């Protein structure tokens, strides 16, 4: 029998059939007896105080059990000393129903609990709120003068603030032969995954809860509930095996979790609270950001000066920050640099991570500026980037753990046919449509965090591996099964990966493209530990044949342990466990070697090449084809990885051309809080997309050499589209999304 090595194979998602047939169960779908339903009442003003809540009509409605507000919520041990969750930025987390103060438009101010969802929703419409309104500010661009540096905290360890300035930027910029200065505006965006946020809380009694939550981290929701409500961690179990998309919106616990658990504890009943689509716009979002760049180059095309500043929105109570301006110095070797990143506190909910946070914003400004400079130099945009290519991160004076961006350029440009383009803008046409091509680089950090996994072999010869990590639709269950199977030389049908349950070994929240490296390395480590126990057990059963054997003397293949020198001598795992009389178990944590890792800059890279057609009369824009090449270390499953990159490319189309949350600053309110008016790409918007994975070996980043692919497909796509639109039309539009009226 031949060993089934599964890493690198395009395995179908193991849970795919459950999802497409509707058999997968999500947070609002669990069958729970004696269940009450909650519906949230949201504030209709942006800032002020609640003077009165008239609940009489709602309470008189048959089926209504309770109406919660700041007036009657239970007194809680609010967790003010430390961060309330793993992803909390510096400041004070938002506290639902805390007092009479309204901090932002859409703030939850009451919860109606009733026998049915429909009753709760109707009763919520009967509640009358009297407010005293205060002046507010929600416009970033109108308040840039109030910008300040972000406060430092735990979040800035993972999201570093800008590097120190180098050289003399002003002198170098003034002396440059060619200059480009640009301003960039990015609007707020909301995540809008298909599954709405919901929580089902099962009241077990004696301070015990089982919570089915829409979350990207079961351990994080457990931490939050225990801290906020003063419960023992072991008495709080959070389950989330299926998550209908997250994109970062589930990294932090959302307010429906708090309200649902609060109601369950106070009523001592099972309770479910689910948001509707409009309520999905009443919590975190990608922050609007204003950027300014100044790039200078010598006449031979070498970058000599690089300035990048960004000013972003945050709330009044927390300092949410992103890595926006750091990327240019990491990508390009420039001796004179100046970076700055500031925040403006506004009367909004705290922004939060949204796929490629900071990267998709910052790379647009950087790569558009690079494109503009290449045209000013009369140099091919790809040639310009290759001329300024570096194998080291000059901003940190460190080598990259690996960097195959040059190969990305080569393979993607060849597949795209870049050399065939007419370099002059507004010269290529198809009928009434102007045709343009553009390209962009992409970069995303590789984050190293600790994670834990447990593994066991049972009497059926089946390997079970456990971790609390969630699977937000990226294929985590599948690739972890592949890693485990490969580590022990087992077939996939004999491996079960259990996940999405806080009672399992601790896992960080799933985001930042680090799950494969973090939990995958823990899975590999625990399987390596289990190998030692298997060898020890086989020595007890078959002492003569395996006497003195070390792990170097054996192979694990086809669900067997065998001697290398004579593969005919071996034991099946099933027989071994049966003879041993009990399961073989192991537990292992993946602890990154911080001393080793800090010597390197660790990043995934990409290159995107895009063709657009722009109707010369109407200004409508169509992305006709695109190629993205990615260097992200070892690709565990090229099928699920390709889906991730395709998703990022499609999101890039949306970011460049469609996606924005419109806010009326006179009301302080988002106006397009539905999927009819919040535009995202549909099938008709998507044409020929190609993904190429470049071979890249990295022995430094983690045990697997895997960098992750969730974000890297997005960061390079949107700027490539903007650059292609310039090539098609000769107009440089720096504000996203680019609308047809910008081109008329």
């Amino acid at each position: 029998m031949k060993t089934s090595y599964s890493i690198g194979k395009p395995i179908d998602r193991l849970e795919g059939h459950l999802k497409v047939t509707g058999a997968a169960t999500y947070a609002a779908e669990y069958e729970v007896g004696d269940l009450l339903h909650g519906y949230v009442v949201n504030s209709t003003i942006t800032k002020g105080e609640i003077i009165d809540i008239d609940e009489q009509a709602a309470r008189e409605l048959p089926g209504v059990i309770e109406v919660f507000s700041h007036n009657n919520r239970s007194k809680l041990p609010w967790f003010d000393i430390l961060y309330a969750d793993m992803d909390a930025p510096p400041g004070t987390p938002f506290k639902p129903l805390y007092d009479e103060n309204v901090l932002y438009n859409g703030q939850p101010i009451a919860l109606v609990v009733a026998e049915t969802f429909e009753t709760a929703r109707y009763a919520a419409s009967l509640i009358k709120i009297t407010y005293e309104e205060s002046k507010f500010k929600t416009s970033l661009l109108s308040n840039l003068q109030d910008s300040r540096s972000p406060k430092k905290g735990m979040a800035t360890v993972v999201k570093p603030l800008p590097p120190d300035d180098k050289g003399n930027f002003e002198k170098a910029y003034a002396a440059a032969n060619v200059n480009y200065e640009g301003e960039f505006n990015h609007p707020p965006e909301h995540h809008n995954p298909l599954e709405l946020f919901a929580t089902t809380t099962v009241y077990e009694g004696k301070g015990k809860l089982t919570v089915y939550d829409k979350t990207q981290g079961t351990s994080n929701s457990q931490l939050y509930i225990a801290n906020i409500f003063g419960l023992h961690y072991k008495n709080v179990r959070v389950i989330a095996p299926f998550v209908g998309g997250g994109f970062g919106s589930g990294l932090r616990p959302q307010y429906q979790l708090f309200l649902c658990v609060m109601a369950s504890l106070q009523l001592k009943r099972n309770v479910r609270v689910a948001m509707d689509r409009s309520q999905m716009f009443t919590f975190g979002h990608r922050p609007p950001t204003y950027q300014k760049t100044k790039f200078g180059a010598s006449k031979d095309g070498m970058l000599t000066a690089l300035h990048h500043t960004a000013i972003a929105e945050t709330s009044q109570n927390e300092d949410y920050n992103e890595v926006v301006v750091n990327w240019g110095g990491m990508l390009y070797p420039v001796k004179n640099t100046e970076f700055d990143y500031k925040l403006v506190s506004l009367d909004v909910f705290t922004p939060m991570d949204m796929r490629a946070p900071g990267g998709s914003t910052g790379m647009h400004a950087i790569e558009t500026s690079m494109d503009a400079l290449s045209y000013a130099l009369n140099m091919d945009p790809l040639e310009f980037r290759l001329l300024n290519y570096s194998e080291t991160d000059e901003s940190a004076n460190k080598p990259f753990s690996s960097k195959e961006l040059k190969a990305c350029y080569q393979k993607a440009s060849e597949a795209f046919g870049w050399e065939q383009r007419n370099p002059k803008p507004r010269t290529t046409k198809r009928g009434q449509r102007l045709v343009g091509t553009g390209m962009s680089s992409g970069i995303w950090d590789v984050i190293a965090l600790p994670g834990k996994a447990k593994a066991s072999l049972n009497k059926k010869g089946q390997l079970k591996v456990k971790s609390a990590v969630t699977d937000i639709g990226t294929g985590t269950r599948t690739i972890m099964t592949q890693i485990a199977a490969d580590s022990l030389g087992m077939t996939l049908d004999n491996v079960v990966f259990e996940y999405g349950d806080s009672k399992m070994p601790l896992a960080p929240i799933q985001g930042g493209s680090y799950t494969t490296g973090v939990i995958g390395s823990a899975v590999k480590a625990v399987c390596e530990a289990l190998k030692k126990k298997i060898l020890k057990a086989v020595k007890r059963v078959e002492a003569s044949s395996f006497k003195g054997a070390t792990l170097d003397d054996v192979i694990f293949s086809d669900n067997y342990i065998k001697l290398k020198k004579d593969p005919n001598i071996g034991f099946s795992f099933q027989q071994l466990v049966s003879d041993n009389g009990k399961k073989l178990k192991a537990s292992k944590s993946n602890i990154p070697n911080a001393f080793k890792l800090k010597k390197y800059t660790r990043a995934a890279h990409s290159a995107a090449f895009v063709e657009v057609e722009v109707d010369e009369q109407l200004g409508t824009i169509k992305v006709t084809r695109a190629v993205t090449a990615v260097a992200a270390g070892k690709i565990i499953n090229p099928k699920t990885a390709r889906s991730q990159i395709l998703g990022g490319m499609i999101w890039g189309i949306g970011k460049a051309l469609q996606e924005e949350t419109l806010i009326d600053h006179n009301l302080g309110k988002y106006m397009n809080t539905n999927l009819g008016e919040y535009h995202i790409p549909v099938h008709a918007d998507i044409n020929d997309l190609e993904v190429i994975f470049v071979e890249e070996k990295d022995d430094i980043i983690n045990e697997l050499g895997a960098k992750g692919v969730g974000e890297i497909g997005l960061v390079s796509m949107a700027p490539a589209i903007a650059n292609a639109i310039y090539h098609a039309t000769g107009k440089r539009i720096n504000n996203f999304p680019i609308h047809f009226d910008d081109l008329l």
Side-chain angles (χ1 to χ4, degrees), residues 331-367:
L331 271 174
Y332 303 113
V334 187
K335 296 188 181 301
N336 303 283
T337 61
E338 192 173 79
F339 303 107
D340 198 15
Y341 176 80
K342 287 188 170 14
L343 298 175
V344 175
S345 296
L346 298 173
D347 298 307
V348 297
F349 193 88
T350 303
M352 61 185 298
D353 293 345
M354 188 173 186
R355 196 173 190 176
S360 66
T361 305
M363 287 304 295
H364 170 221
I366 295 163
E367 288 301 288

Side-chain angles (χ1 to χ4, degrees), residues 433-725:
R433 296 184 179 90
L434 296 165
V435 179
T437 52
M439 60 85 58
S440 170
S441 311
I443 184 171
W444 183 255
D445 269 334
V446 176
I447 300 169
L449 296 171
K452 190 175 182 180
K454 290 183 178 180
S456 64
L457 273 174
N458 62 25
K459 291 183 179 181
K460 294 180 180 179
Q462 188 180 59
L463 172 66
K464 288 191 176 182
V465 182
K466 297 181 180 182
S467 170
V469 68
T470 55
D471 185 342
I472 58 175
T474 55
T476 302
R477 176 187 176 187
T478 306
I479 64 170
M480 295 305 162
T481 305
Q482 290 179 260
I483 293 166
D486 223 53
S487 299
L488 278 174
M490 299 183 70
T491 52
L492 286 176
D493 57 347
N494 278 296
V495 179
V496 176
F497 181 68
E498 298 180 351
Y499 64 103
D501 190 333
S502 64
K503 76 173 185 179
M504 296 174 184
L506 181 70
I509 44 182
Q510 184 176 34
S513 297
Y514 55 68
T515 297
T516 300
V518 172
I519 301 302
S521 293
V523 169
K524 182 175 175 60
V526 77
C527 288
E528 293 299 321
L530 193 58
K531 280 183 178 180
K532 295 178 181 178
K533 296 199 173 186
I534 292 171
L535 178 58
K536 190 174 180 180
V538 81
K539 284 181 178 180
R540 288 197 298 265
V541 175
E542 185 62 30
S544 59
S545 299
F546 285 85
K547 183 178 181 181
T550 66
L551 286 175
D552 292 332
D553 300 320
V554 298
I555 55 174
F556 294 82
S557 169
D558 302 314
N559 309 321
Y560 273 73
I561 178 172
K562 304 173 184 178
L563 283 174
K564 271 185 184 177
K565 63 182 181 181
D566 187 356
N568 291 319
I569 300 176
F571 268 81
S572 72
F573 296 152
Q574 182 176 5
Q575 180 185 356
L576 184 62
V577 176
S578 179
D579 290 349
N580 194 56
K582 59 180 180 179
K583 289 182 181 179
L584 295 176
K585 300 178 181 179
S587 178
K588 200 73 176 176
S589 294
N590 163 43
I591 307 296
N593 186 336
F595 179 76
K596 175 184 176 183
L597 292 176
K598 73 177 184 179
K599 297 177 182 179
Y600 300 89
T601 291
R602 310 175 307 278
H605 295 88
S606 66
F609 290 77
V610 170
E611 179 188 85
V612 301
E613 290 181 351
V614 181
D615 190 291
E616 195 168 14
Q617 294 179 324
L618 301 177
T620 54
I621 306 162
K622 180 180 182 181
V623 177
T624 49
R625 61 190 180 95
V627 178
T628 295
V630 174
K634 184 184 287 294
I635 303 301
I636 306 299
N637 184 328
K639 188 169 189 177
T640 56
R642 178 177 179 272
S643 292
Q644 285 294 290
I645 301 302
L646 286 175
M649 294 173 73
I650 293 167
W651 198 319
I653 293 172
K655 183 172 179 63
L657 303 178
Q658 298 179 2
E659 193 168 351
E660 60 180 331
T661 317
L662 301 170
I663 186 169
D664 184 330
H665 294 298
N666 294 313
L667 301 174
K669 178 182 179 181
Y670 297 118
M671 305 304 292
N672 56 329
T673 57
N674 57 75
L675 291 184
E677 297 171 301
Y678 184 88
H679 297 152
I680 57 176
V682 296
H683 289 296
D685 299 311
I686 307 305
N687 294 286
D688 184 18
L689 303 180
E690 182 179 352
V691 177
I692 299 170
F693 289 112
V694 170
E695 188 173 337
E696 183 175 55
K697 183 176 174 59
D698 197 318
D699 296 323
I700 294 165
I701 49 173
N702 52 55
E703 290 299 313
L704 293 168
K707 292 183 174 180
V709 293
E711 269 84 5
I712 192 60
L714 169 57
V715 292
S716 56
M717 187 67 180
I721 294 170
N723 294 337
I725 290 171

Side-chain angles (χ1 to χ4, degrees), residues 313-333:
E313 167 193 278
T314 191
S315 66
Q316 298 286 3
N317 52 298
E318 290 181 302
D319 270 16
Y320 172 80
N321 73 287
E322 295 181 332
V323 179
V324 178
V325 304
N326 306 22
W327 309 103
M330 293 171 65
L331 271 174
Y332 303 113

